Amino acid sequence: QVQLVESGGGLVQAGGSLRLSCAASGLGLSYDMGWFRQAPGKQRDFVGGVRRSGTNIVYGDIAKGRFTISRDNAKNTVYLQLNSLKPEDTAVYYCAVGTLGALQAGVFAYRGQGTQVTVSS
């Protein structure tokens, strides 16, 4: 059974930082992973994705310059470092599994439940 469990969300002031983690289990092969976010009443945004090897990382427009993705395959964990946070970054952030190209198009095979990030002004 595939499980993706996110952690690290919380309440932070504008300009602050958070580091989100996504621990994966039940996946027998190496896989590409990505992060999405969705705020109430808004469309889902692609934050970024990382190839199974960790050497190829792509970011959505919302992430460029402020967010960083990394992964530790030994721990089956992918990370999302959020810097210079703004109130408009408030959303549920969740990780997902799929091919990198599909993730960029918003398509994934599995996703976690998400972790809430709230940025106060």
Side-chain angles (χ1 to χ4, degrees):
Q1 182 180 357
V2 175
Q3 276 195 314
L4 301 172
V5 180
E6 300 93 340
S7 61
L11 174 64
V12 63
Q13 289 188 329
S17 299
L18 284 172
R19 188 192 193 206
L20 309 183
S21 300
C22 172
S25 62
L27 292 164
L29 301 173
S30 58
Y31 39 84
D32 300 345
M33 293 190 70
W35 286 94
F36 294 86
R37 74 180 190 187
Q38 188 160 23
K42 295 187 177 180
Q43 68 178 17
R44 182 177 61 209
D45 293 320
F46 171 71
V47 178
V50 55
R51 189 74 75 184
R52 59 195 69 188
S53 64
T55 58
N56 187 11
I57 301 174
V58 295
Y59 293 98
D61 289 339
I62 60 166
K64 292 178 180 178
R66 296 190 298 130
F67 301 165
T68 303
I69 291 175
S70 60
R71 68 186 293 167
D72 184 339
N73 286 341
K75 296 181 179 180
N76 292 327
T77 300
V78 64
Y79 303 97
L80 178 63
Q81 178 69 40
L82 306 172
N83 295 328
S84 302
L85 284 163
K86 306 173 183 179
E88 51 263 43
D89 293 319
T90 295
V92 174
Y93 287 71
Y94 59 92
C95 62
V97 174
T99 64
L100 192 55
L103 290 168
Q104 288 181 272
V107 178
F108 45 81
Y110 304 98
R111 58 158 286 184
Q113 292 298 309
T115 184
Q116 177 71 45
V117 171
T118 303
V119 185
S120 63
S121 57

